[in-house]
Amino acid sequence: MEVLISISAATLAYIDDFLPEDDALISARRNAAEVGGAAPVSPLTGGTLRFLAAAIGARSVVEIGTGCGTSGIWLLRGMRPGAVLTTVDSEPEHQRLARAAYLAAGFPPSRYRLIGGLALEVLPRLADNAYDMVFCDADRLELSAYLASALRLLRPGGIVLFNSVLPGSAGTERLPTDAEAAAAAEVREQVRADERLTQLLLPIGNGLLVAARQGGSSS
Ligand SMILES: C[S@@+](CC[C@H](N)C(=O)[O-])C[C@H]1O[C@@H](n2cnc3c(N)ncnc32)[C@H](O)[C@@H]1O
């Protein structure tokens, strides 16, 4: 028997408002809306990033798709004191705004490394087995390549996350193209089938795909 679970709009609004954004996040979100092409993560997605970074005591995180800094602030707030966020984006203006957003949120430059360039050109320069988390939120046609990079970059027990991997548009600026929807379907199946990973697809934002690389202390 099919069971339909329905959550009321009021409940969804309550969940989204559970972690209200402060001035630094509101300002980063406003900048993203003005500049375009840098749709920020939802507060619930941000809260999830912060929670996971804190839960695993993240010391080093790679973000693919800096945008104007919203997800980076959430990540930095969950990471250990002194931990470093390495974040990649091809748009210098987005990274300029992200840098200002991190400073406004109280993080000194020693806490982040902003690398400008195309993800698939930058990622090969990052060290193997060196990162606790990899958050993928850039080109929606490159998700499989990001997964391959993440599997190389992550230490055992590390976590890879893909934002917006479902067909709709919640929290995004537009519907995915057919090619983007196909790329998302492909990475969902790759993650699901990969026996090196412990997987979870969460109904957060437009679908947050999370997987832990096995081999950590608890696996
Ligand atoms: C959805 S936005 C990221 C939003 C950000 N994670 C946040 O929550 O604020 C996607 C970003 O990826 C960048 N981007 C798109 N394609 C890219 C590529 N091939 N390499 C690097 N960055 C890319 C865009 O310039 C944009 O800033």
Side-chain angles (χ1 to χ4, degrees), residues 30 55-57 66 68 70 96 99 116-117 133 150 165 179 181 204 213:
R30 191 184 311 117
I56 66 169
T66 312
C68 299
T70 301
R96 187 186 68 76
R99 187 185 302 277
M133 281 176 78
V165 294
I204 291 176
R213 187 184 153 194

Side-chain angles (χ1 to χ4, degrees), residues 31 35 66-68 91-103 114:
N31 285 338
V35 81
T66 312
C68 299
E91 289 292 333
E93 177 63 2
H94 295 178
Q95 287 202 316
R96 187 186 68 76
L97 291 166
R99 187 185 302 277
Y102 302 156
L103 279 172
L114 289 131

